[in-house]
C-alpha cells in the first residue's frame, strides 16, 4: 500500500483539518477545491468541500444555462446550497447600431492595446485611440460598415431571442422547480453575469463583431456608459422572472440583495407574483440597484428624474412594508450621486432594524429623521458620500438631532458626507457613548480616510454640546 493510499484512509476529521488549512492558505481557492474533489472520492464528498463549492449557485437567464439546470442532479448538492444568484445575460435587445459599433470598436482597441503595447516613452501616445488606429490598422476602422451591420443583425437576433425567453413561461417554471428542490436556500441576489478582464478575451488575430462580457472598471468611459444603459432593461426582465419564480416556489427569504442595473421603472408592486411573495422573515435587504435613465448618448438626467426617484423610494418601501417586523439590516446605495432620493414620505416603522447604511444617494433629511425615530433598536448608522435632496444645508441638523435623541448609543460611520454649500465633507467614525475615548486618541488616529473632523461634530452628535457658532458658520445659514 502506497503512502498516498494511506493518506486517503485517514479519518474524515483529519482530512477536514487538511482541507481547512489549504483553504486558509489559498484564500478558499475554488480551483484547488475542485482539484481535491478530482483527486479522491474522500475529498469529493467532504462536507467542508461541498459547502464551499456549492454554498452559492447561479441561475443565469439563458436557454443554454437552463438546459444545464434541467439535467442537473440538484439532490446531490441541495443540502449545501444556501444562496442563489439570479444573473442577467450580457446581450441586450436595447443596444442600438451606433452603440453596438462603439462597443466592438472599443473592445478591439482595449484588447489589442494590451497585446501590442510599446515600451515607454511611446506608451502615452499609445493610450490615444486615434493614434492606436493609425499605427495598428493604418488609419482605417478595424471593421468595415458591412461587417458591423452583419454583426449587429446577428447580435439583435440573439438578443431578441433572449428577450422572449426571459419573458416566457418556461424559464419561470424551471426556476420554480429548481427552487423547490433546494429547501435550504434562503438568500437571493439579483445581478449581471460575471464579466471578464479584457486581457482574458480570446480574440482572433483580426477584430470581430462578437460583443464580449467585460468588467466595467477595465474599459473606456464611453463603453462603460453604453454597457450600463444597455444592461438596464435586461435587469428589469431578470427581476420580474425571478420574483414570479420565488413567489410560486413559496420560499422563505432571509437575504434580498438587488444589485442588477434597472431602467428606473420600479413597478415592483405590479409584478406578477409580488403580492404572494413572502418577505415576512427577511432580516437583510440590500438595494444597490444602478439606475440607468436612457436619454440617447447623454447621461444627463431628464425632466422626469423626480418621478424615477420617487419610484425607487416606492420600491424600497414595498420591500420594507413586507419585512418591517423582521428587517434588521438595510443598505441603500447607488453607484454615483444620481437619481436616488430616500426616504419616501410614508414612514414605515422598522422596529427591529439594527444597521442602516446609506451611500451615494440624496437624503430627505426631515423624512429620514422621522424614520429613525421609528427604529428603536438601531445600533449602526452609516453615511457614504451622501448629500441633501433640497436646501437649506442646515437641514442636516434634523438627522443629527435624530442621532442625539435616539434611545440607544449609535456607532457612527460618516465617510465624505457632503455637508455644506462649499462641498466640504465630514469623515468621522466613533460610538456616541464613547466620545471621550475618541477625544483622547492621538490626532492622527482621529482622522478618517486622511480627513480630520472637528471635535464639535462628535460632541454635538453625542449630546455634549449645543448648536454653536462653528456649526452655524459651517452651514452658512441659521438653524
Amino acid at each position: 500500500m502506497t503512502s498516498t493510499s494511506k493518506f486517503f484512509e485517514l479519518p474524515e476529521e483529519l482530512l477536514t483539518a487538511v482541507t481547512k488549512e489549504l483553504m486558509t492558505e489559498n484564500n478558499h481557492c475554488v480551483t484547488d477545491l475542485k482539484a481535491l474533489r478530482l483527486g479522491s472520492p474522500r475529498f469529493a464528498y467532504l462536507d467542508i468541500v461541498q459547502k464551499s463549492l456549492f454554498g452559492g449557485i447561479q441561475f443565469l437567464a439563458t436557454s443554454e444555462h437552463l438546459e444545464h439546470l434541467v439535467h442537473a442532479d440538484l439532490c446531490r448538492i441541495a443540502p449545501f446550497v444556501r444562496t442563489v444568484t439570479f444573473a442577467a445575460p450580457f446581450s441586450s435587445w436595447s443596444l442600438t447600431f451606433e452603440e453596438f459599433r462603439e462597443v466592438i470598436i472599443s473592445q478591439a482597441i482595449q484588447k489589442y492595446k494590451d497585446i501590442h503595447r510599446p515600451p515607454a516613452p511611446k506608451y502615452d501616445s499609445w493610450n490615444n485611440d486615434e493614434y492606436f488606429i493609425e499605427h495598428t490598422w493604418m488609419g482605417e476602422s478595424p471593421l468595415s460598415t458591412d461587417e458591423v451591420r452583419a454583426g449587429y443583425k446577428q447580435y439583435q437576433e440573439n438578443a431578441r431571442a433572449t428577450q422572449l425567453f426571459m419573458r416566457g413561461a418556461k424559464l419561470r417554471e424551471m426556476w420554480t422547480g429548481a427552487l423547490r428542490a433546494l429547501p435550504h436556500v434562503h438568500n437571493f441576489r439579483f445581478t449581471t453575469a460575471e464579466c471578464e478582464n479584457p486581457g482574458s478575451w480570446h480574440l482572433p488575430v483580426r477584430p470581430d463583431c462578437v460583443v464580449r462580457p467585460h468588467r466595467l472598471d477595465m474599459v473606456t468611459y464611453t463603453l462603460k456608459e453604453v454597457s450600463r444603459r444597455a444592461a438596464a432593461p435586461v435587469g428589469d426582465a431578470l427581476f420580474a422572472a425571478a420574483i414570479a419564480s420565488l413567489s410560486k416556489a413559496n420560499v422563505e427569504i432571509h437575504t434580498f440583495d438587488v444589485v442588477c442595473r434597472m431602467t428606473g421603472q420600479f413597478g415592483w408592486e405590479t409584478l406578477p407574483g409580488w403580492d404572494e411573495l413572502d418577505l415576512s422573515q427577511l432580516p437583510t435587504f440590500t438595494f444597490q440597484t444602478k439606475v440607468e435613465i436612457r436619454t440617447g448618448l447623454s447621461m444627463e438626467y431628464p425632466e422626469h428624474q423626480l418621478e424615477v426617484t420617487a419610484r425607487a423610494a416606492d420600491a424600497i418601501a414595498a420591500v420594507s412594508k413586507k419585512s418591517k417586523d423582521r428587517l434588521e439590516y438595510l443598505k441603500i446605495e447607488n453607484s454615483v450621486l444620481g437619481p436616488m432620493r430616500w426616504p419616501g414620505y410614508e414612514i414605515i416603522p422598522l422596529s427591529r432594524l439594527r444597521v442602516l447604511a446609506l451611500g451615494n444617494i440624496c437624503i430627505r433629511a426631515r423624512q429620514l429623521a422621522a424614520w429613525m425615530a421609528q427604529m428603536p433598536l438601531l445600533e449602526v448608522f452609516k453615511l457614504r458620500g451622501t448629500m441633501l435632496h433640497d436646501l437649506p444645508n442646515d437641514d442636516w441638523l434634523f438627522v443629527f438631532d435624530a442621532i442625539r435623541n435616539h434611545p440607544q448609543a449609535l456607532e457612527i460611520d460618516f465617510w465624505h458626507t457632503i455637508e455644506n454649500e462649499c462641498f466640504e465633507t465630514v469623515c468621522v467614525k466613533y460610538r456616541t457613548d464613547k466620545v471621550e475615548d475618541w477625544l483622547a486618541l492621538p490626532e492622527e488616529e482621529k482622522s478618517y480616510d486622511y480627513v480630520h473632523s472637528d471635535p464639535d461634530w462628535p460632541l454635538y452628535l453625542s449630546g455634549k454640546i449645543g448648536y454653536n457658532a462653528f456649526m452655524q458658520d459651517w452651514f452658512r445659514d441659521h438653524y
Side-chain angles (χ1 to χ4, degrees):
M1 181 179 290
T2 66
S3 59
T4 301
S5 300
K6 290 181 179 179
F7 175 77
F8 287 131
E9 290 182 0
L10 289 172
E12 183 173 315
E13 54 269 24
L14 290 180
L15 293 179
T16 299
V18 169
T19 305
K20 281 183 179 179
E21 187 66 25
L22 177 68
M23 292 169 65
T24 300
E25 290 184 0
N26 295 291
N27 196 25
H28 294 247
C29 179
V30 172
T31 303
D32 289 341
L33 293 178
K34 288 181 177 178
L36 274 179
R37 296 188 82 240
L38 293 173
S40 168
R42 293 294 308 281
F43 281 107
Y45 299 106
L46 276 180
D47 279 1
I48 188 174
V49 173
Q50 299 201 89
K51 286 178 181 177
S52 183
L53 287 178
F54 305 120
I57 63 175
Q58 180 174 271
F59 286 5
L60 181 60
T62 65
S63 56
E64 295 82 6
H65 189 273
L66 189 65
E67 192 67 23
H68 291 309
L69 190 62
V70 169
H71 294 99
D73 186 2
L74 294 178
C75 294
R76 295 181 60 182
I77 64 172
F80 309 102
V81 184
R82 297 292 184 272
T83 301
V84 165
T85 297
F86 294 100
F90 186 70
S91 59
S92 171
W93 47 89
S94 72
L95 198 68
T96 67
F97 173 77
E98 289 301 323
E99 289 172 337
F100 174 82
R101 182 182 182 280
E102 199 164 15
V103 168
I104 59 173
I105 297 297
S106 294
Q107 74 177 16
I109 291 173
Q110 186 75 30
K111 172 66 178 184
Y112 289 97
K113 271 183 182 178
D114 291 339
I115 294 175
H116 304 289
R117 177 178 292 141
K122 295 183 178 180
Y123 178 72
D124 289 340
S125 297
W126 205 249
N127 277 337
N128 182 282
D129 289 352
E130 292 181 3
Y131 179 91
F132 179 84
I133 291 174
E134 178 68 32
H135 287 77
T136 305
W137 294 304
M138 307 303 293
E140 298 292 330
S141 171
L143 293 160
S144 69
T145 301
D146 288 343
E147 287 176 308
V148 176
R149 290 192 184 281
Y152 181 67
K153 181 180 179 182
Q154 183 61 53
Y155 177 87
Q156 275 293 295
E157 287 177 0
N158 294 337
R160 292 297 178 189
T162 298
Q163 181 184 30
L164 292 174
F165 172 75
M166 292 184 70
R167 294 178 177 176
K170 184 178 180 181
L171 178 66
R172 289 161 168 75
E173 291 171 0
M174 296 309 302
W175 275 0
T176 299
L179 291 170
R180 287 172 175 166
L182 300 169
H184 303 293
V185 173
H186 302 299
N187 307 312
F188 299 94
R189 196 165 193 259
F190 310 82
T191 186
T192 55
E194 291 185 7
C195 296
E196 304 170 0
N197 183 322
S200 67
W201 287 338
H202 300 292
L203 294 183
V205 175
R206 188 177 183 280
D208 61 15
C209 291
V210 178
V211 176
R212 290 167 173 83
H214 45 267
R215 285 175 50 191
L216 293 181
D217 60 340
M218 299 293 292
V219 297
T220 64
Y221 176 81
T222 300
L223 179 54
K224 183 185 298 185
E225 296 307 319
V226 169
S227 299
R228 283 173 169 171
R229 291 197 298 272
V234 186
D236 287 354
L238 173 82
F239 191 75
I243 292 300
S245 303
L246 288 168
S247 62
K248 197 169 183 180
N250 195 29
V251 297
E252 183 177 303
I253 301 175
H254 294 171
T255 299
F256 200 70
D257 188 5
V258 186
V259 297
C260 56
R261 299 189 180 279
M262 290 183 164
T263 61
Q265 295 299 318
F266 291 123
W268 289 6
E269 290 182 296
T270 66
L271 292 176
W274 182 265
D275 289 342
E276 296 77 25
L277 185 69
D278 183 8
L279 297 177
S280 63
Q281 300 303 310
L282 177 70
T284 302
F285 174 36
T286 303
F287 185 90
Q288 298 180 91
T289 300
K290 280 62 174 183
V291 183
E292 305 297 340
I293 306 176
R294 189 180 187 86
T295 56
L297 293 177
S298 171
M299 282 303 290
E300 293 182 2
Y301 301 124
E303 293 181 0
H304 63 277
Q305 173 186 349
L306 292 180
E307 284 127 12
V308 173
T309 65
R311 288 196 294 269
D314 289 344
I316 297 169
V319 175
S320 301
K321 288 176 184 177
K322 282 178 170 284
S323 59
K324 61 185 178 64
D325 296 325
R326 185 67 179 86
L327 195 62
E328 297 179 13
Y329 180 97
L330 174 60
K331 181 177 182 179
I332 305 170
E333 189 173 86
N334 197 23
S335 58
V336 293
L337 274 173
M340 288 283 290
R341 306 287 188 272
W342 191 82
Y345 293 103
E346 180 183 3
I347 300 172
I348 302 172
L350 302 177
S351 60
R352 299 182 64 174
L353 195 75
R354 297 185 180 277
V355 178
L356 177 62
L358 308 174
N360 288 333
I361 65 173
C362 291
I363 299 297
R364 292 187 174 107
R366 301 187 187 212
Q367 281 69 42
L368 178 56
W371 277 61
M372 291 176 67
Q374 301 297 317
M375 302 173 182
L377 300 183
L378 190 66
E379 298 174 354
V380 179
F381 181 39
K382 297 182 179 183
L383 292 178
R384 303 295 235 215
T386 52
M387 64 186 300
L388 286 183
H389 174 227
D390 292 311
L391 295 176
N393 286 298
D394 62 1
D395 269 9
W396 273 112
L397 288 171
F398 288 101
V399 178
F400 295 165
D401 287 347
I403 296 171
R404 282 168 60 99
N405 299 325
H406 199 273
Q408 290 213 133
L410 299 180
E411 180 180 323
I412 301 301
D413 187 348
F414 288 174
W415 181 82
H416 288 288
T417 299
I418 299 174
E419 300 290 351
N420 62 13
E421 62 191 21
C422 297
F423 295 99
E424 297 171 310
T425 63
V426 167
C427 293
V428 64
K429 186 175 183 180
Y430 84 113
R431 276 182 59 91
T432 55
D433 61 343
K434 295 183 177 180
V435 65
E436 290 82 4
D437 294 344
W438 183 85
L439 290 171
L441 291 173
E443 288 302 314
E444 63 272 12
E445 293 185 31
K446 291 180 185 176
S447 64
Y448 184 23
D449 194 38
Y450 305 105
V451 177
H452 177 69
S453 287
D454 191 280
D456 283 22
W457 295 117
L459 287 169
Y460 183 80
L461 294 174
S462 298
K464 300 297 184 181
I465 62 173
Y467 184 64
N468 60 22
F470 165 78
M471 298 176 191
Q472 183 176 332
D473 181 61
W474 177 273
F475 289 122
R476 311 289 197 268
D477 283 309
H478 292 283
Y479 183 38

